[in-house]
Amino acid sequence: AMTASSGDLSTMVRRCLLTFKPFRIFVVGIGFFSLCFLMTSLGGQFSSKRPGDPPFTVRAEVLSGPESRGVLRKISEMLEVILKRMDSLSKLGNSTDSHRLEELSSALDRIQPIGLVERIQAIAQNMSDMAVKVEQILQRSMSNNKVREGIFGQCETPKDPRYPDCPSKMDWMRARWTSDPCYAYYGVDGSDCSFLIYLSEVEWFCPPLAWRNHTGTSSPKLLSRIQAVFQSDIGSLLEQVGTGKESLSFMKRRMRRLASQWASAARRLNDKLRNQWREQKRILVHVGFLTEESGDVFSPKVLKGGPLGEMVQWADILTALHMLGHNLKISVSLKELHGFLGVPPGRGSCPLTGSLPFDLIYTDYHGLQQMKQHMGLSLRKYKCHIRVIDTFGTEPAYNHEEYATLHGYRTNWGYWNLHGQQYMTMFPHTPDNSFMGFVAEELNATERLHIQRNKVNNMAVVYGKEASMWKIRQGKEKFLTTLHRYMEIHGTVYFETQRPPEVPAFVKNHGLLPQQELQQLLRKAKLFIGFGFPYEGPAPLEAIANGCIFLQPKFDPPHSSLNHDFFRGKPTSRKVSSQHPYAEQHIGRPHVFTVDFNNSEEFDAAIHEIMRIEVKPFLPYEYTCEGMLERLNAYIQNQDFCSPDAPFPPVNSSGAWSASPLGPFVSQPNSSLLAWASNASDFPSWPPLSALRLVASLEGQSCVEACQSAELFCEPALFRFINIREAFSALDFPCEGLDSEMNHLLPAFSAEHAECGLQHDPLLFSCAGSSTKYRRLCPCRDYRNGQLALCRDCL
C-alpha cells in the first residue's frame, strides 16, 4: 500500500484552499464531512478495490476494528475543527488567510492514518474538479435567482397603448404555445415570463422588458455595397439550377441554347450604360410551382406537350439575373427555402432566426403561399423585398385584402397587400404591375436572309401541342377545312403510340418536337394559326421572330372573369379581346392578323392577303435578351418598396404653387396634356417627374385607355403626385366638395355631384377600372422605343 506523509496532505490542502474562493472551501468541507459520515456508517471497514469500485478508489490496507475506529475519531475531531474554521475563514480578507490556513494545516498534521491519507488525497482531487463545476452551476443559478428576484411581480402582462395586441397575444400563447415546436426553440417554456420575452424580443407585440439585458440585441450589420459586374459565362448558373426534374432539364437546355445571345446582349448593355455603377444584390429565386409540395404538375408534362410558358420565363429570369452579375441562390424545394431563409424548426408559426439574408426574392403565387406558411411574421416584415412572377396580372382592387373583401374583389389569388408593381407579368398588359417578360431567339443577318429565301408560301403550322386543344367545336372544323383548301397544315401534337383522333386526317402531325426542330419548322412555314387557347403564351412571338404571320381569333365579346371559366377567380378584371392581345395591339399587321373565325368571308379574305404578302422576321426589342436585361436592371437598381414615400404634398409646398393657376403643372405646347412644371419643386421619384403627363379620362374610361388614347402609358408610381387638389384645378374641374376615401377609381371627378375625390390608401392607386360616374385623373408617361416598361429618362 502506498502511504503519504501528513506534510504532503497539508501541502495539497493548502494549495487547494488558496486556489478556491470561500464558497469553494465550503464545498470541499462538505465533501470531507460526507466522507466521514460514510466511513462511520460502514463501521470503519475498508476493503481492497473490486472490479465494480469507482475509478478513483485507491487500494488500502484493511485495518482492525479498534484501530479503524480510533482513526475515524481523530478524523471526526479534526473535521469539526475544519468546519468551525470554515465559517470564519470564508469571511476573512486576504490579509488573514495565510494565518488561518497555517492553523488548519497544523490541525491536519496530527492525522497519521496509513493508506487512508492516500484515499483522502484521491477524493480531494475529485472534489476539486467537482467544485469547479459546482461553482459554474451556482453562478448560473445565482444569476437566474437575481433575475427572478428582480422580475418577481413584473411578468404581468403590460398595458401599453403602443402595444394594444399584447394582452390577446399573451392569452393565445398560454393556450397554444405547444402547438408549434418553434416556440420552445426560441426558449418558451410555458411561463408568463417566457411568453413576454418571446413576444417582445422575437415578435413585436409586447414592449421591451426593462429587466432584460438588451445589449446582445443589436441591429444587423450594414453590408458594404458591392458593384455588380456583367457576366458572360453560365457554367455556375447551370450548376445551381440542379438536376432531378425534367422541368429543370428543359430550363437548362434553353439556357445553353441562348447563352451566346445573352453574353452578347450583356456586353451591348454594358456599353450603353457606359459602365455606370450598379449595386450587386443578394437575390433568392424560389420557383414555387416546381416544388413537390405544390404538386409540381409541370415536370411530368414537359415531354408530353404540356404548357412550357412558365418554364421559358423562369429560365430567362434566372439567366438575366445571373448575367447582370447578382449574387444568386436558387430554390425548388421547401428544404432549400428553409435553409436559405433561416426558418426555425417547427410548423412555421415563428419568425426567421435572423434578419433576411436577401435584398430581393423572386417567386410565384405558390412560393408566396409557402413563405406565408413557413416565415411566420417575418413575411409581413420582409414582404417589400418580394417580387411575384404573375402571368396574367393582379390589379390593386384584388390585391388590397380589406377592400377586396368589402367590395367583392376577393379571389383565391389576390389579397396579399403588396405594392402593385411587386407583381411581374409576362406581357405589358397590366400597367399596375411591372412587366418582366421573357426572350425569343434572335436571328443574325444570314439566318434572316435564309428564312426569306426558303419560306413555303402555302405552309401553315397550328398553335397547339395538346390534343385537347384540337377538339372540333365552336367552328374549328369549318375554318380548318377552309384553310386546307389553300395551305398544307402541319401540327406538333404529342402522342405516344397512335395518332390523336382529335387531329383531322389532312393535318400532317410531327408529334412533339424538340425546340430546335420546332424552330426549323417555323422557319419554313408562312402561317402560324391559333385556335384561341392557350392565352398569351410565348409561341406566337417565337413564330413571328422566325418570319411567320400569326393568325388569331378575335373574341367578341372579350373574354374576362365575368364570362369565361379560364379567367374566373383570377385577380384581374382585364378584358381579353383576342388570344394574344399583345401581338394584336403592339405588333399588328402585317405580322399579326386578328379576325373573326366565325365569319367565313373575313377569314377567307385574311388567308388570301396572307398568301400575297411577304414579311421579314420581327422581334420587339423588349423581348430580346438586351431588352430584358435593360428592363430588369432598371427595376433592380431603382424600384424600392421598403422605404416609405414621404408624405405628399409637403406642408410648405402649396404656398410655392399658389402663384400659378395650374399649381405644380404646366401646359404642353400644341397639346392638351399637362406636365410637371420644371420650376416646381423636384421630388425623389422613379420614373422621374419629367416623364409625368396629367390626363383626364372620359366617363366610363380607365386610365389604361385614357393614356393609350394619348399614345402614352399609365404609370401608377406617379399617382401620388396628382392625388392633390391642384390637379383638379389644373384640369378645370369645379370641386364643390373634396373628400378622401378608399376607392380604386380615385382620384376622380364626379360631374353629377361636382365632387372631387382623392385616394386615401396608396395601395389602391390603379390604372385599371372605370365607371360611368367618374372622370378619372391619370398619371401618364412616355416610353422608350420598343420598351414600354421604361420612360425615355428612366435609364
Side-chain angles (χ1 to χ4, degrees), residues 441 443 451 455 519-520 522-525 541-548 617-618:
E441 191 167 350
L443 305 177
I451 287 175
K455 277 292 180 184
Q519 294 277 65
Q520 295 303 318
L522 292 175
R523 291 180 181 187
K524 286 184 179 181
L541 284 188
E542 294 173 346
I544 296 168
N546 282 287
C548 291
F618 173 74

Side-chain angles (χ1 to χ4, degrees), residues 195-270:
F195 297 154
L196 275 176
I197 292 170
Y198 176 84
L199 291 173
S200 63
E201 297 179 14
V202 180
E203 297 184 4
W204 50 86
F205 292 108
C206 294
L209 305 174
W211 46 268
R212 289 284 292 175
N213 181 7
H214 298 285
T215 56
T217 308
S218 58
S219 58
K221 294 182 179 179
L222 295 176
L223 298 177
S224 58
R225 300 174 70 197
I226 301 175
Q227 182 172 1
V229 178
F230 282 102
Q231 303 295 309
S232 58
D233 181 74
I234 64 168
S236 59
L237 174 63
L238 294 174
E239 291 180 4
Q240 282 201 74
V241 171
T243 57
K245 294 175 180 285
E246 187 55 44
S247 52
L248 298 179
S249 299
F250 171 86
M251 292 165 66
K252 291 169 76 170
R253 288 194 296 270
R254 178 175 177 83
M255 291 173 180
R256 291 190 187 98
R257 191 173 68 254
L258 298 177
S260 61
Q261 294 192 15
W262 283 110
S264 299
R267 288 191 292 270
R268 291 195 300 271
L269 181 59
N270 190 36

Side-chain angles (χ1 to χ4, degrees), residues 711-757:
E711 298 184 347
L712 298 170
F713 200 74
C714 185
E715 179 50 65
L718 298 176
F719 258 114
R720 69 190 189 100
F721 296 105
I722 68 167
N723 191 46
I724 55 176
R725 177 190 293 270
E726 289 79 2
F728 293 99
S729 301
L731 292 168
D732 291 328
F733 286 142
C735 298
E736 294 184 8
L738 182 69
D739 293 322
S740 176
E741 61 178 286
M742 290 172 55
N743 186 328
H744 73 285
L745 300 178
L746 301 182
F749 172 72
S750 172
E752 181 180 357
H753 302 97
E755 291 182 349
C756 298

Side-chain angles (χ1 to χ4, degrees), residues 164 218 221 235 274 308 329 412 459 528 591 598 631 750:
S218 58
K221 294 182 179 179
R274 298 176 182 175
L308 302 180
K329 301 293 182 184
N412 293 331
M459 178 178 175
F528 189 64
H591 301 280
N598 294 319
R631 181 170 62 250
S750 172

Side-chain angles (χ1 to χ4, degrees), residues 17-69:
L17 293 176
L18 287 173
T19 302
F20 295 169
K21 294 180 180 179
F23 73 86
R24 287 185 183 170
I25 297 173
F26 176 76
V27 173
V28 176
I30 291 299
F32 275 110
F33 180 77
S34 301
L35 176 63
C36 180
F37 181 82
L38 176 63
M39 290 187 293
T40 304
S41 301
L42 293 174
Q45 298 299 318
F46 295 94
S47 61
S48 299
K49 183 177 180 179
R50 297 181 299 274
D53 288 339
F56 58 80
T57 302
V58 180
R59 179 178 174 82
E61 296 288 344
V62 179
L63 303 176
S64 62
E67 185 179 1
S68 63
R69 284 194 293 273

Side-chain angles (χ1 to χ4, degrees), residues 152-199:
F152 183 74
Q154 295 185 31
C155 284
E156 297 179 358
T157 303
K159 298 179 180 178
D160 190 327
R162 296 172 299 174
Y163 299 88
D165 296 324
C166 187
S168 62
K169 292 296 180 181
M170 283 290 289
D171 291 340
W172 190 95
M173 290 293 288
R174 292 186 186 105
R176 300 289 304 278
W177 75 274
T178 58
S179 64
D180 195 323
C182 71
Y183 295 113
Y185 172 82
Y186 276 114
V188 175
D189 57 13
S191 67
D192 278 7
C193 288
S194 67
F195 297 154
L196 275 176
I197 292 170
Y198 176 84
L199 291 173

